[in-house]
Amino acid sequence: MLRYFTGSYEFSEILLIMLLTIPTVLIALTFHEYAHGYAAYKLGDPTAKYMGRLTLNPIKHFHPIGMLLMFLVGIGWANPVPINPRYFKDPKKGMAVSAAAGPIMNLILGFISLFIFYVIVFILEKTHTYELSYPLWATLMFLDNFCYMNVFLAVFNLLPIPPFDGSRILFAFLPDRYYFSIMKYERIIMFAVLIAIATGALSLPFTKITNGIIYGMEWIIGLIL
């Protein structure tokens, strides 16, 4: 991807990357929460719709602390979409499916942006265009950043510990007594994870997993193009 061959950046380019992070974060987190609400709605839970959260309006999903952390350290969260498992025929399965919808949406967004990125690169190579205009460079940079952040967000949310989406998926297979015993420590676990994020302890494994998924996506796109 672009980050592998652009070399060093000028100050104006770094500033542009920072500005491009704003729409990237808003879109990634908004679609993530919308996917949760939509999946729950299709499974019979109208809570998100009744509360005005079944929308792609980023203001409805805005969480100040989560958004700030997303900009500063690349890991954050939006205001969680309300889900009432009592509406599901199988509450644990319904929670697992609705939880998985968010990361899946981010992976889809990541793949789409990566595909568009390589389509543009493919056209540039076929037309022997090697000098990029600033708008085109900015577009490629946005697509690159958008892909990485979406895949990274999906990996982050698939952590199999509460309160992340991965815990809802994993615990769907656990007996209720174990599930609710672990959920009692949700806030403590979240605090511990935030400390790990602040110290950078999770950066390396998250980055390696994210890059591995992106490499897989690039391989698939290579077969298509």
Side-chain angles (χ1 to χ4, degrees):
M1 293 179 68
L2 191 62
R3 61 181 177 279
Y4 298 134
F5 55 79
T6 47
S8 59
Y9 297 129
E10 297 180 359
F11 175 76
S12 61
E13 295 172 335
I14 295 175
L15 181 61
L16 175 63
I17 294 172
M18 294 175 63
L19 291 175
L20 290 176
T21 301
I22 297 176
T24 296
V25 169
L26 291 176
I27 295 172
L29 292 180
T30 296
F31 273 79
H32 179 97
E33 292 303 325
Y34 175 81
H36 284 319
Y38 182 77
Y41 177 72
K42 297 300 289 185
L43 290 171
D45 177 17
T47 307
K49 183 177 181 180
Y50 288 159
M51 296 185 68
R53 297 294 306 281
L54 197 60
T55 175
L56 291 176
N57 180 358
I59 297 177
K60 296 290 186 178
H61 305 291
F62 185 81
H63 189 288
I65 297 178
M67 291 287 185
L68 179 62
L69 286 175
M70 195 72 181
F71 288 123
L72 295 177
V73 299
I75 299 177
W77 59 89
N79 189 21
V81 166
I83 296 176
N84 189 342
R86 290 182 296 178
Y87 285 102
F88 300 143
K89 293 180 179 180
D90 184 336
K92 291 179 69 174
K93 180 180 178 181
M95 286 296 293
V97 172
S98 57
I104 290 174
M105 173 61 77
N106 289 125
L107 290 175
I108 292 173
L109 290 175
F111 183 84
I112 291 173
S113 61
L114 185 62
F115 183 78
I116 296 174
F117 176 95
Y118 276 111
V119 167
I120 294 175
V121 171
F122 179 80
I123 294 174
L124 292 175
E125 290 177 348
K126 288 298 182 182
T127 57
H128 304 289
T129 304
Y130 302 108
E131 293 293 330
L132 302 182
S133 64
Y134 197 77
L136 182 55
W137 181 88
T139 299
L140 289 173
M141 182 59 67
F142 171 78
L143 292 170
D144 175 73
N145 190 38
F146 189 76
C147 172
Y148 188 85
M149 186 163 290
N150 270 280
V151 176
F152 193 87
L153 185 62
V155 172
F156 174 65
N157 275 280
L158 285 174
L159 274 173
I161 55 177
F164 304 106
D165 297 329
S167 67
R168 270 68 177 182
I169 300 171
L170 174 64
F171 296 155
F173 304 98
L174 293 178
D176 289 344
R177 64 181 183 276
Y178 294 127
Y179 176 77
F180 291 110
S181 294
I182 296 176
M183 288 301 292
K184 289 190 301 183
Y185 302 100
E186 181 174 354
R187 292 188 177 183
I188 297 176
I189 295 174
M190 181 63 178
F191 182 70
V193 170
L194 289 177
I195 293 177
I197 293 171
T199 58
L202 293 178
S203 298
L204 182 59
F206 278 176
T207 300
K208 285 186 174 295
I209 295 172
T210 299
N211 286 334
I213 293 174
I214 292 176
Y215 289 147
M217 290 180 174
E218 290 175 326
W219 180 78
I220 295 174
I221 293 173
L223 294 178
I224 298 174
L225 298 178

